[in-house]
Amino acid sequence: MKTITLHNGARAFSARLYGPERAPMVVCLHGFPDNADSFRYQVQDFVDAGYQVLTPTMRGYEPSSITQNEDYTLRAMAQDVNAWLDELKQPQVHLVGHDWGAVVAYMVAALIPDRLLSVTTIAVPHPRRFLERGVARVPVQALKSWYMLFNQIPLVSDHIVRRNDFAFIRHLWRTWSPGQTLTDEEWRGLRNTFGQPGVIRATLSYYRQNVSPGQMLRLKPSSADAIQHIRVPNLAITGENDGCIDTRVFDHTVLGDDHPAGFRIERVADAGHFTHQEKPQVLNPVMIDWFRQHERTPG
């Protein structure tokens, strides 16, 4: 493993790179409230299967990627990924994303599909269809999405997230993945991430700029509107016990017409929102098999 710094304009992103240099690359994008250690249970299995693995820190999760231009739109973060691939001289990669990382992965697949061999999205269905159909088809999702509206409130939500040693973040993990218990070391890593200057404001901006109430009610355009056809093979993973995004939403939002390159839904029993951390022994072979099915064609 080596630690590297990636760039997009004035923003600098820390990342870890694992595995042999000339191997096909898997890029893993974390979500909220998480950090670049999100895929700690995948890295070694992916490397052992013959892949190089990149785990970058997403925009806003460290001071070096926070600039005066507070742009946390999906298009901007897809451009981060494109810039990283250019910097690493990677023509095509397998892209894996969880939570907001999954949303960004969908945007990359929609805007620059030629950079991807495959896309694996964990816990989040097709973002545009989620806004259009998710709550309408699965009404309980409105209750599960309460935090999206709460995170819109400037200053108030920032304060609540920070209060009482980040008890709000602990609450989200317990609610979203009831069967998971974070170790003391894992919790320290999360506290260190969100305790950095500017990180809470930046990470809550993901919600404020991409899923505002007007966007969720379809009264205003959303950056997710640019996501329709996913012209990359898509493995969509959902945990049956996800307390954040109801697994039944996938049945109404992952539609064949949106996936001309093919898709698969993998529903994982006894797992919640952080499915990849709860059930790596189940998911890692599934993901590796997916990568192998969609390797670069020689020549």
Side-chain angles (χ1 to χ4, degrees):
M1 185 274 288
K2 62 180 179 180
T3 300
I4 63 174
T5 301
L6 300 171
H7 304 86
N8 186 13
R11 299 179 194 267
F13 307 81
S14 62
R16 292 173 184 163
L17 193 58
Y18 306 81
E21 288 186 10
R22 298 187 182 278
M25 180 175 284
V26 180
V27 179
C28 300
L29 308 180
H30 70 84
F32 175 91
D34 208 349
N35 58 28
D37 289 328
S38 184
F39 294 90
R40 57 194 174 277
Y41 299 119
Q42 280 69 52
V43 167
Q44 191 58 54
D45 283 357
F46 289 176
V47 169
D48 290 346
Y51 294 94
Q52 189 176 27
V53 182
L54 179 73
T55 59
T57 297
M58 297 293 285
R59 179 182 290 214
Y61 281 77
E62 58 190 334
S64 62
S65 66
I66 300 172
T67 69
Q68 290 184 343
N69 173 19
E70 296 187 86
D71 187 351
Y72 297 96
T73 59
L74 299 180
R75 187 177 294 271
M77 291 186 285
Q79 290 169 352
D80 289 339
V81 176
N82 195 46
W84 302 338
L85 299 186
D86 286 345
E87 188 170 359
L88 293 170
K89 297 180 172 57
Q90 289 287 333
Q92 289 184 302
V93 300
H94 298 284
L95 187 60
V96 180
H98 172 252
D99 190 81
W100 274 109
V103 183
V104 174
Y106 280 115
M107 180 62 94
V108 174
L111 295 184
I112 46 172
D114 57 305
R115 303 305 301 264
L116 303 184
L117 296 166
S118 73
V119 61
T120 299
T121 48
I122 305 171
V124 178
H126 189 294
R128 178 174 176 174
R129 300 306 181 206
F130 175 76
L131 292 175
E132 292 174 345
R133 303 162 60 98
V135 173
R137 300 299 178 92
V138 185
V140 72
Q141 184 58 48
L143 297 176
K144 291 189 174 185
S145 295
W146 68 269
Y147 71 96
M148 295 186 187
L149 297 176
F150 171 78
N151 287 345
Q152 307 290 332
I153 309 171
L155 301 179
V156 174
S157 56
D158 301 58
H159 170 71
I160 295 296
V161 171
R162 189 179 293 108
R163 191 181 65 177
N164 194 21
D165 193 30
F166 303 101
F168 179 83
I169 290 177
R170 277 190 183 272
H171 171 74
L172 292 183
W173 277 75
R174 285 195 302 268
T175 303
W176 292 357
S177 278
Q180 183 180 18
T181 301
L182 291 172
T183 66
D184 290 343
E185 182 179 358
E186 288 167 341
W187 174 239
R188 278 195 299 272
L190 293 173
R191 289 176 70 253
N192 290 341
T193 293
F194 290 95
Q196 297 174 96
V199 166
I200 290 177
R201 176 187 173 95
T203 56
L204 294 184
S205 293
Y206 282 51
Y207 296 91
R208 295 166 186 171
Q209 295 187 21
N210 297 291
V211 285
S212 69
Q215 292 167 334
M216 293 183 70
L217 293 171
R218 311 304 289 157
L219 301 175
K220 294 174 57 179
S222 166
S223 56
D225 292 342
I227 302 171
Q228 183 167 347
H229 294 113
I230 307 300
R231 302 187 187 280
V232 179
N234 179 201
L235 172 63
I237 296 168
T238 170
E240 283 188 349
N241 300 331
D242 194 328
C244 175
I245 296 183
D246 194 291
T247 188
R248 292 169 293 182
V249 170
F250 281 74
D251 299 327
H252 304 285
T253 55
V254 182
L255 309 175
D257 288 348
D258 290 335
H259 296 270
F263 74 97
R264 171 181 169 187
I265 299 177
E266 183 74 18
R267 186 168 275 110
V268 184
D270 300 318
H273 189 65
F274 297 90
T275 314
H276 59 305
Q277 297 179 25
E278 297 174 73
K279 299 289 183 179
Q281 72 279 11
V282 173
L283 278 183
N284 290 2
V286 171
M287 290 190 279
I288 290 167
D289 183 62
W290 185 257
F291 303 154
R292 288 175 173 164
Q293 289 178 40
H294 302 98
E295 292 294 1
R296 185 180 300 121
T297 302

